[in-house]
Amino acid sequence: IPTEFKQKYAKKIIYNVLQIGVTKTKIHNKINKKDMKKRAKLIPIERIATPKEVAIKIFFLSSEENTLIHGQVINISGGE
C-alpha cells in the first residue's frame, strides 16, 4: 500500500491484504485426486482449504465486527 494512501486514509478505511493458499475450486477438479492428496501433504495442516473457509475470513475482515485488524498481510494457507 503506497505511503501516501496510508497517510491520507488510514484512519478512515480499514484495509488488509490476503495471501490465499491452495483452495479447492472448479479448476482443481481437473487434477487427479492422487496428485491433490500429494499437494495437500505439503501443507502443514495436510488439507486444502474450501472456498467457504476463505469466504468466512474475508467476510469477517470486511465486516463492522472487524475494528482492530488493520494494515496486515493475512496468510490464509494452512500454514504454508
Side-chain angles (χ1 to χ4, degrees):
I1 306 287
T3 302
E4 307 85 50
F5 179 88
K6 286 182 187 178
Q7 291 171 345
K8 187 172 182 178
Y9 298 107
K11 293 180 182 175
K12 298 177 184 177
I13 299 172
I14 290 180
Y15 63 89
N16 294 290
V17 175
L18 301 177
Q19 290 181 315
I20 301 171
V22 180
T23 304
K24 179 116 175 86
T25 59
K26 288 180 183 178
I27 198 161
H28 291 103
N29 293 336
K30 297 177 181 180
I31 301 170
N32 72 52
K33 289 183 181 188
K34 186 177 179 182
D35 287 341
M36 287 301 290
K37 285 181 181 181
K38 284 182 185 177
R39 179 63 179 95
K41 290 286 185 189
L42 298 174
I43 301 169
I45 63 169
E46 295 188 3
R47 67 179 185 82
I48 294 171
T50 67
K52 183 177 180 178
E53 289 175 306
V54 175
I56 289 168
K57 278 56 168 185
I58 292 169
F59 180 79
F60 172 75
L61 290 168
S62 60
S63 75
E64 291 180 8
E65 298 294 318
N66 177 25
T67 58
L68 294 173
I69 302 171
H70 176 63
Q72 300 301 305
V73 176
I74 298 166
N75 190 317
I76 303 174
S77 68
E80 206 168 23

